[in-house]
Amino acid sequence: MEERSAAKPAEAGAQTPETPRARPAAPGKAAVPEAAPVPPSNSEASAQDVQPEPAPAPKPDVDRLPPPKPERADDVFARARPDVREGKPDRPVACTFDGAVMKRAAQPLPDVPACQIPVPVALSAVGDEGEIALTPSATLDCALAASYASWMSEVVAPAALAHLGSRVESVQVAASFHCRRRNNLPNGKLSEHATGNAIDISAFRLADGRQVSVEEGWKGDGAEKAFLLVVRKAACDRFLTVLSPEGDAYHQDHLHLDQGCHGKTCTYRICQ
């Protein structure tokens, strides 16, 4: 009898294990296999330990920086246009007139052309006998010194006797030669002081010991104010520029007198 082999039937209820299938990719995108994590290299691991660089320091506040150093007067005025009379300022011109005690002076700033005095003199007293001293002495141009001496002798001295009952013994000089611009401003025209063409008077000292201050006397309404008004009015007839406490904020404590030219003919006067 022929022998046949037959397959062994599967046991009832047994399940055949299924092979897992790959997850379908999303529509329109190709499936990308997940990459295995890569351990950090030694350089990367050490970089994680490095602290971040600090933020740059803020720029300094310009307003808090110290201001620049001002230029020296010699440097400023050496660049200015010279404003002096014809000829060399230090020419040996004689300066003589009555009613003054003075001597010829050297140029205060010989290396600064714009601040040279045409004929510099050192004026220490005025009056026929030199009885009215200048404290301190004034460095002026000869022409202005002559105008100032005659004003003191012919106007100030008799006005003091008439209004104050005492003679003038000395005057307090607030400024004479000074190499600067007008009103001490950093720019603008040169002051007449820069060429010895101006003088400032802050007070008159009397022989009886009193002192008539321009600043204080101008505020009053008595004899001192009357005296100051008289000498200012007469000065306006002798000087081309007269500035008093009625002028501006720069002249509240002194009388400014100069012979600066105004206008084309130099005949215009400023009296304030």
Side-chain angles (χ1 to χ4, degrees):
M1 184 173 164
E2 183 177 0
E3 192 174 338
R4 297 182 179 177
S5 62
K8 187 177 180 181
E11 294 181 1
Q15 296 182 356
T16 306
E18 297 181 357
T19 303
R21 294 178 296 175
R23 181 179 298 176
K29 293 183 180 180
V32 179
E34 296 182 0
V38 179
S41 62
N42 293 336
S43 59
E44 291 176 347
S46 60
Q48 295 177 0
D49 299 333
V50 177
Q51 297 296 327
E53 295 182 1
K59 294 183 178 180
D61 187 356
V62 177
D63 294 336
R64 295 186 179 181
L65 292 177
K69 294 182 179 180
E71 293 183 285
R72 296 182 306 143
D74 291 11
D75 298 332
V76 174
F77 292 108
R79 297 196 303 269
R81 181 180 63 84
D83 187 14
V84 296
R85 300 176 185 177
E86 294 296 329
K88 294 182 179 181
D90 58 348
R91 62 191 184 281
V93 176
C95 179
T96 58
F97 55 86
D98 296 332
V101 177
M102 63 180 180
K103 61 182 180 179
R104 183 67 188 272
Q107 284 292 339
L109 295 175
D111 296 331
V112 185
C115 288
Q116 291 188 356
I117 304 173
V119 184
V121 297
L123 185 66
S124 58
V126 296
D128 294 336
E129 303 296 331
E131 63 271 16
I132 304 176
L134 278 72
T135 308
S137 62
T139 301
L140 303 170
D141 178 43
C142 176
L144 183 77
S147 298
Y148 173 76
S150 64
W151 173 70
M152 287 292 302
S153 299
E154 298 170 12
V155 176
V156 177
L161 289 173
H163 292 275
L164 303 173
S166 181
R167 69 177 183 86
V168 179
E169 190 173 66
S170 65
V171 293
Q172 185 68 36
V173 177
S176 55
F177 169 80
H178 190 187
C179 186
R180 63 173 174 81
R181 301 187 188 276
R182 291 180 183 177
N183 299 323
N184 284 306
L185 297 177
N187 48 42
K189 294 183 178 180
L190 284 177
S191 169
E192 294 298 328
H193 287 285
T195 54
N197 199 30
I199 185 170
D200 293 346
I201 302 299
S202 60
F204 301 85
R205 182 174 293 277
L206 306 180
D208 60 8
R210 284 181 292 166
Q211 178 167 295
V212 180
S213 164
V214 173
E215 182 176 22
E216 297 301 326
W218 212 273
K219 297 176 183 177
D221 56 2
E224 292 186 0
K225 178 66 175 290
F227 163 73
L228 292 173
L229 289 175
V230 167
V231 299
R232 196 241 347 227
K233 183 178 184 300
C236 292
D237 297 330
R238 295 167 178 262
F239 299 90
L240 294 177
T241 305
V242 177
L243 301 174
S244 70
E246 292 182 0
D248 54 35
Y250 297 102
H251 301 87
Q252 293 300 300
D253 59 355
H254 65 274
L255 291 174
H256 170 92
L257 314 172
D258 76 49
Q259 295 289 28
C261 177
H262 305 293
K264 294 181 179 180
T265 60
C266 297
T267 56
Y268 180 76
R269 296 175 183 270
I270 296 176
C271 180
Q272 298 178 349

